Amino acid sequence: MQLPQAYLDIVLPLIDKARGFLENGESLEPFAFVGNHATRQITAILIDTRSDESKDQSAEHIRFAAAQTEADFVFTIMEAWGLPRDKMPRFQEILDKYGSIGASPYRIDIVGFMLETRYGVWGCQMTLKPKGYSKKKRTFGKVELPFLDGVEGRFVGLLPQVEKTALH
């Protein structure tokens, strides 16, 4: 399923802004952008990732903001650690041995983008790479947001439920 252009028009500038921060040597703070396409209102919410409890509280804060603004999309941007593709089959083994992906010698820096709409969820994870010879400046490749079927997790299902009415 193709992401509608109207949503691309909203999220591509946010992705460009994230790229700009990284290419200037800054880290990315995790944010959710809660928006109502009809009113053009977008609220930025900082996500607290320090603990599972703070992540749960952030998700609830996003849900509340989405309900208050009658949001029809939530776009999240988060810097994180991931594993290279060749290490993914060993995910559980690595967690058992090191306690977390971040503590393992295999970790790679990534940025995750996820867009939840009434029509589904689109997203991707991009590997962060050094920009030029800099040790501080990083960048990522061209972002494509494929449709993600069956996505689950703390930061999915954030939009308010809308009653579907029959047409008469």
Side-chain angles (χ1 to χ4, degrees):
M1 183 184 312
Q2 183 80 13
L3 179 61
Q5 186 63 44
Y7 289 107
L8 281 172
D9 292 344
I10 293 167
V11 301
L12 289 178
L14 295 171
I15 291 170
D16 288 342
K17 191 83 160 164
R19 184 188 316 276
F21 283 126
L22 291 167
E23 289 181 352
N24 284 327
E26 300 173 49
S27 61
L28 287 179
E29 295 295 328
F31 270 96
F33 297 90
V34 178
N36 180 306
H37 195 263
T39 64
R40 298 281 195 222
Q41 179 182 0
I42 298 176
T43 304
I45 298 173
L46 182 63
I47 299 171
D48 184 348
T49 59
R50 291 178 293 179
S51 69
D52 284 343
E53 182 180 322
S54 64
K55 290 175 192 175
D56 289 341
Q57 288 173 349
S58 290
E60 283 306 311
H61 186 72
I62 294 165
R63 275 189 195 86
F64 179 78
Q68 294 300 306
T69 60
E70 298 178 357
D72 56 9
F73 72 89
V74 174
F75 182 58
T76 57
I77 300 175
M78 277 191 229
E79 191 174 337
W81 290 309
L83 290 173
R85 284 193 197 282
D86 66 330
K87 299 292 186 240
M88 288 303 292
R90 295 181 49 209
F91 174 77
Q92 192 59 52
E93 175 190 336
I94 291 168
L95 274 183
D96 292 345
K97 183 172 183 178
Y98 298 101
S100 71
I101 299 300
S104 84
Y106 308 112
R107 80 171 191 222
I108 56 173
D109 291 337
I110 61 170
V111 60
F113 301 102
M114 190 168 343
L115 175 66
E116 178 182 346
T117 74
R118 301 248 178 259
Y119 308 105
V121 177
W122 287 263
C124 69
Q125 293 181 341
M126 302 295 295
T127 302
L128 297 177
K129 299 179 180 182
K131 180 164 173 59
Y133 296 105
S134 176
K135 291 187 189 255
K136 256 190 119 167
K137 297 178 181 183
R138 300 172 296 162
T139 193
F140 51 88
K142 183 177 189 275
V143 174
E144 294 182 14
L145 298 169
F147 182 75
L148 304 174
D149 194 22
V151 178
E152 295 180 14
R154 177 183 283 121
F155 293 105
V156 179
L158 301 170
L159 291 175
Q161 297 300 312
V162 175
E163 299 247 350
K164 294 186 179 174
T165 58
L167 295 175
H168 299 310

